[in-house]
Amino acid sequence: MLIYLEQEAKEYPLTKEILSRFSDADVVETWHYKNVFDKKIGYPTEKCLILAKSDRLKLFSVPENYGYPDCKAFFFVTQLNCVFDCAYCYLKGAFKNDFPVIFVNYSDIQLELRTKILELRHGWYKGKIVLYASNYSDLVGMESLSWFHQSFIPFFEQFDNVLMETRTKSGNIQSLLDLDIIPQNTEIAFSLNPQAIIESYEHWSSSLKSRISAIKTLQAKWWKVGLRFLPLLPVPGYVEIYEQFLRELCQEIDINNVNSIFLATLIYNKQDWITIQKKESDLPAGRQGFKLLKDLEVGEDGLVRVSAADREVFDWLFRKYFGDRVVRDYV
Ligand code: SF4
């Protein structure tokens, strides 16, 4: 294991915990994590990690039509990159390399979150506030490294009408269960796709069976569980593939007991789409790229998506099973 350690991150408790856990790791100090993170790296990064201090605002407003309707909603960032390797992941376009980064100063990030929530409440906003935690990493997948949920689930319990959504493709929920609470303000949102698509495009993530088992366990323990069907991929024969997947899923899961259901197909901003394709063209011989990328359409709004016809088919199919409970995410 190779750990790049930003100088300002050295004294934080999480840094010390991680370093003591990987006591045989090679540790390289760096003045700022971007000295490493912003470089194009030519060697494998699976066994590398960056520990850094978040030194500027890490809370962003979500785009229009994203996620829960009728609320004030923000992304917040505690980690960058991911232990999984989904072929379609937009992070490949957003960042120069795939080093996982953990911002270890959780207390500062929580102070920022608290300040934002109180600012809204003091401005007399009494409605729902949603904080999306997992748009730059799969935090359940990273939990054994970062203990994110151990810290942030209890943190959010102190507020009224606030919800943290954490999205995952991991079925490993033991650390959540170890918390031994029933959180009211956290939703664990499982990203689901048919097993054939998981095998082809969601490398190193948990199997569908494992994700379903995790959903059932959390539901039985009264956790808030969401289903995220995203990104839906219009692979050849997709209508039959997704129809069978939905039929089986509805037999397995108590859908009435699901907190929310969101749906989205592939969507990129144009620059990320171009960058990902460029990276794909640099793949070593023998490694296949993500073929669906080139079939996407550039919309008038500058966003790149699957065709409107395929989006309508997906919408029709999912409404057949879930009716009006489906929220079309960021259409
Ligand atoms: S799980 Fe999410 S963040 Fe991780 S590689 Fe897949 S799409 Fe990207």
Side-chain angles (χ1 to χ4, degrees), residues 75-121:
F75 300 125
F76 71 101
V77 186
T78 57
Q79 287 164 57
L80 304 174
N81 280 326
C82 187
V83 286
F84 303 139
D85 182 25
C86 300
Y88 49 73
C89 184
Y90 82 100
L91 299 179
K92 291 178 204 294
F95 304 134
K96 288 217 173 54
N97 66 52
D98 52 7
F99 280 123
V101 181
I102 299 175
F103 295 110
V104 293
N105 52 326
Y106 285 175
S107 51
D108 298 335
I109 298 169
Q110 288 175 358
L111 180 62
E112 194 182 318
L113 288 162
R114 182 195 305 277
T115 304
K116 173 53 82 177
I117 292 166
L118 295 182
E119 190 185 292
L120 287 167
R121 294 299 186 225

Side-chain angles (χ1 to χ4, degrees), residues 63-331:
E64 211 181 327
N65 295 324
Y66 185 94
Y68 276 98
D70 307 324
C71 63
K72 302 241 182 248
F74 305 87
F75 300 125
F76 71 101
V77 186
T78 57
Q79 287 164 57
L80 304 174
N81 280 326
C82 187
V83 286
F84 303 139
D85 182 25
C86 300
Y88 49 73
C89 184
Y90 82 100
L91 299 179
K92 291 178 204 294
F95 304 134
K96 288 217 173 54
N97 66 52
D98 52 7
F99 280 123
V101 181
I102 299 175
F103 295 110
V104 293
N105 52 326
Y106 285 175
S107 51
D108 298 335
I109 298 169
Q110 288 175 358
L111 180 62
E112 194 182 318
L113 288 162
R114 182 195 305 277
T115 304
K116 173 53 82 177
I117 292 166
L118 295 182
E119 190 185 292
L120 287 167
R121 294 299 186 225
H122 290 154
W124 302 108
Y125 176 71
K126 297 284 177 238
K128 192 183 192 94
I129 300 172
V130 181
L131 284 312
Y132 295 96
S134 303
N135 287 70
Y136 298 89
S137 185
D138 188 314
L139 299 175
V140 177
M142 290 279 284
E143 182 72 6
S144 62
L145 274 179
S146 66
W147 296 285
F148 168 85
H149 297 90
Q150 301 285 321
S151 178
F152 281 80
I153 289 179
F155 166 77
F156 277 110
E157 287 302 290
Q158 66 189 294
F159 303 107
D160 289 329
N161 210 6
V162 168
L163 184 76
M164 171 176 74
E165 186 226 64
T166 169
R167 284 185 193 180
T168 187
K169 294 185 175 79
S170 173
N172 185 358
I173 51 163
Q174 191 52 49
S175 60
L176 303 181
L177 300 177
D178 288 346
L179 275 168
D180 207 20
I181 58 171
I182 305 172
Q184 298 306 303
N185 291 349
T186 293
E187 177 181 49
I188 309 296
F190 287 86
S191 181
L192 300 177
N193 251 319
Q195 179 60 27
I197 287 183
I198 291 174
E199 281 167 24
S200 298
Y201 300 110
E202 298 178 354
H203 311 303
W204 306 337
S205 67
S206 296
S207 66
L208 177 61
K209 198 170 161 196
S210 164
R211 297 182 208 179
I212 289 175
S213 166
I215 290 169
K216 287 160 85 168
T217 303
L218 289 174
Q219 281 189 325
K221 292 182 178 294
W222 302 104
W223 281 59
K224 288 191 166 93
V225 172
L227 304 185
R228 302 291 176 263
F229 299 100
L230 47 91
L232 300 167
L233 300 181
V235 295
Y238 74 88
V239 177
E240 290 75 24
I241 292 171
Y242 276 94
E243 178 105 52
Q244 187 183 345
F245 158 67
L246 287 174
R247 210 180 301 124
E248 290 170 4
L249 188 70
C250 289
Q251 285 165 5
E252 289 268 2
I253 292 177
D254 177 3
I255 298 297
N256 292 327
N257 202 11
V258 163
N259 201 50
S260 65
I261 303 174
F262 295 175
L263 199 71
T265 54
L266 282 173
I267 185 162
Y268 299 100
N269 71 45
K270 199 170 170 188
Q271 190 50 52
D272 285 352
W273 180 59
I274 291 167
T275 307
I276 295 170
Q277 289 186 88
K278 170 79 182 60
K279 282 192 178 175
E280 300 257 295
S281 67
D282 291 342
L283 282 175
R287 273 203 61 186
Q288 275 205 345
F290 180 44
K291 290 195 185 119
L292 292 176
L293 275 180
K294 64 175 178 14
D295 298 331
L296 302 182
E297 294 177 353
V298 184
E300 282 176 11
D301 56 4
L303 294 171
V304 183
R305 306 175 173 86
V306 305
S307 73
D310 285 332
R311 297 205 303 272
E312 288 311 316
V313 171
F314 276 124
D315 196 47
W316 163 80
L317 187 58
F318 278 76
R319 283 189 194 283
K320 197 165 123 183
Y321 284 86
F322 305 127
D324 289 339
R325 295 201 60 199
V326 168
V327 174
R328 263 176 92 161
D329 199 0
Y330 201 23
V331 284

Side-chain angles (χ1 to χ4, degrees), residues 51-64:
L51 302 179
K53 176 177 180 254
S54 164
D55 58 358
R56 65 192 173 90
L57 194 73
K58 288 281 186 275
L59 194 61
F60 311 103
S61 293
V62 305
E64 211 181 327

